[in-house]
Every structure is written in structure tokens, then in C-alpha cells.
Amino acid sequence: MPGMLLGDVFPNFEAETTAGRVKLYEYLGDSWGILFTHPRDYTPVCTTELGRIARLDGEFRKRSVKLIGLSLDSLEDHCGWSKDILAYNCEESECCKLPFPIIADSKRELAVALGMLDPDEKDKDGLPLTARCVFVIGPDKRLKLSLLYPATTGRNFDEILRVVDSLQLTAMRRVATPADWKPGDCVMVPPNMPEEEAAALFPAGVFTKDLPSGKKYLRYTPDPQDQGECVDTEGSQTEPKPCTSLKTSFRL
Ligand code: BEZ
């Protein structure tokens, strides 16, 4: 089955878009990239999704992420529908441009090659439409994360910003982010990192949760990009301050 796996080099495709012909790597430059697909222009869920992405454009820019959309519809449809999306966003200016290009993959070449089709949603000829796919591409042009939702379920774009934050943090620092992590929350020390190395690498402190197994793998440290402080608890253990909220949710 065709498709992209984590770590694969993303193909440097060329495609017709609402911003002219685009070569992926030229478009992305040294930035991160997100390729997102939607099933069909002039449909309700897709309109709310692209409206939301347009409103979050500043957040993606802050993170140096370049966006590019894709569906099987024509350029003409993309351009006409863009005006509806801007109107849905209450954009009152004459501007009819969304802040990202949308690929017109009318020949289905990319949708098939990248495994982005939803077998349950078909066009009038019975051919599958694109699913709601998100590919996050790193500055090294490798696939860092993929999400694939069916046509009937709209995506949560706060989650997509959150995963970009995690991907960018973990690309720079040897940490992992726990369930429901947000920037500023404690992060996890990777399980394969020796204790002495963790102590040297995380001067803000490492807090280890005692577990029935006696194994010392549940180790937290403050978000290294958030300058969190450590506070003394009983014994010699220090618990990073931002872990207080984790203490409640994980009963540390
Ligand atoms: C929508 O965007 O509303 C939609 C598109 C295709 C199938 C179901 C819903």
C-alpha cells in the first residue's frame, strides 16, 4: 500500500496551486512544513477547517511552519471556495486569498502516491476522495508526524499546533513530551538516558516517581525552554516546580 512512513524523505513534488506552480522543497526552504488535505471544496466541515487554519496562520508563522493544502478539486473551485472561507471567517476586505496555497491534484497523482484517500467517501464517478490528512515535514524534508482522519471527522488544529511544539522541542533537546503536554509543562527524561547524564543535562532538576516495580523510568524535568525552577521536597529528591500540576493528574 503506498503512503509515507515516519522518517521517510518527503518527495519533492511539483504541483499546480492557487499560488502558481510550486516545487515543494523551494516552497518550504529551511522551514518546517505541513501538507494538509481535505475531501472536497464547498463542503461544510472543510470550510470550518480551512477557516480555522487561516485564522491560525500567525501561530504557524511564529513556529516557522509553511502550510500547503490539497484536494482533488480544480484551481477554479479552490479560488471560488476561498472567498466562502474568508466570508466564513468574517473577512470583509476584498481580499480573496487564503494565507497558504492549495494544490489542485485533479489527476489524483499525489493523493494516490502519498496514501491520502478515504475509501468511504466517493465522488460522482465512485472514486475515493482525499481523507483529512496532516503530514508534518521537518527542515530535513523527512516526515515527522502524520494524521489521517476520515471525511466525517474535522481535525483539532490546537492539537496540530501542540504536536508542532512537541516536535520542535524534541528535535532540539533530548526529552520526550507526556500525554496532553503543553509548552511550559514538565517533560520526560528519555528512558535510555543514564541517571548521571540526566543530572548533568537537566540542571533544573529531575524528579523520579516511585513505582511499584521499583524501576526508575518515570522521570520528569521542567520544560527546558521554560526556565522552570526546582523546589525541595522530602529527602534529597527535588521536584521541578512545573510538575505540581502533573502531581495532581498523575498522583505523583
Ligand atoms: C464536509 O466537509 O462537510 C464533508 C466532506 C465530505 C464528506 C463529509 C463531510
Side-chain angles (χ1 to χ4, degrees), residues 28-248:
L28 296 179
D30 294 330
S31 299
W32 288 69
I34 295 186
L35 169 66
F36 59 94
T37 60
H38 65 274
R40 201 198 284 262
D41 294 358
Y42 298 109
T43 53
V45 177
C46 298
T47 302
T48 62
E49 286 197 322
L50 269 73
R52 177 85 173 120
I53 302 169
R55 295 199 301 281
L56 288 174
D57 183 56
E59 291 298 321
F60 286 110
R61 276 174 199 270
K62 260 193 239 167
R63 291 161 175 81
S64 186
V65 176
K66 290 212 168 164
L67 303 165
I68 186 162
L70 180 149
S71 81
L72 307 174
D73 302 273
S74 65
L75 277 184
E76 191 188 352
D77 278 348
H78 285 340
C79 292
W81 181 47
S82 296
K83 294 178 193 160
D84 289 359
I85 298 167
L86 293 168
Y88 161 76
N89 272 357
C90 303
E91 170 67 67
E92 282 163 20
S93 71
E94 289 299 295
C95 166
C96 63
K97 273 183 70 179
L98 290 169
F100 46 80
I102 310 176
I103 298 167
D105 188 28
S106 322
K107 293 191 188 143
R108 306 175 160 262
E109 287 164 350
L110 287 171
V112 170
L114 301 178
M116 303 188 296
L117 294 169
D118 179 349
D120 287 339
E121 281 309 320
K122 307 232 168 74
D123 67 10
K124 59 179 174 17
D125 300 319
L127 292 172
L129 296 172
T130 30
R132 301 185 193 280
C133 179
V134 177
F135 284 134
V136 182
I137 306 160
D140 58 0
K141 310 294 180 290
R142 289 183 183 274
L143 181 68
K144 303 298 178 187
L145 179 138
S146 68
L147 296 170
L148 195 56
Y149 284 44
T152 41
T153 301
R155 289 158 284 193
N156 180 328
F157 289 91
D158 292 325
E159 168 63 1
I160 291 166
L161 285 175
R162 192 192 74 84
V163 296
V164 167
D165 287 334
S166 171
L167 291 170
Q168 293 187 339
L169 173 65
T170 56
M172 302 291 292
R173 311 282 188 139
R174 287 177 60 201
V175 296
T177 62
D180 300 332
W181 174 87
K182 297 182 300 312
D185 289 351
C186 272
V187 297
M188 315 298 304
V189 177
N192 56 356
M193 187 182 288
E195 214 169 297
E196 308 72 47
E197 192 181 353
L201 207 61
F202 305 115
V206 174
F207 172 75
T208 307
K209 164 80 178 156
D210 288 330
L211 296 168
S213 66
K215 297 182 193 291
K216 301 200 173 298
Y217 60 89
L218 208 55
R219 296 178 295 173
Y220 297 87
T221 191
D223 181 339
Q225 294 189 332
D226 197 54
Q227 305 298 309
E229 291 171 45
C230 286
V231 289
D232 283 332
T233 54
E234 316 106 67
S236 58
Q237 190 98 272
T238 53
E239 180 185 352
K241 220 179 205 166
C243 294
T244 319
S245 58
L246 290 174
K247 191 163 186 168
T248 316

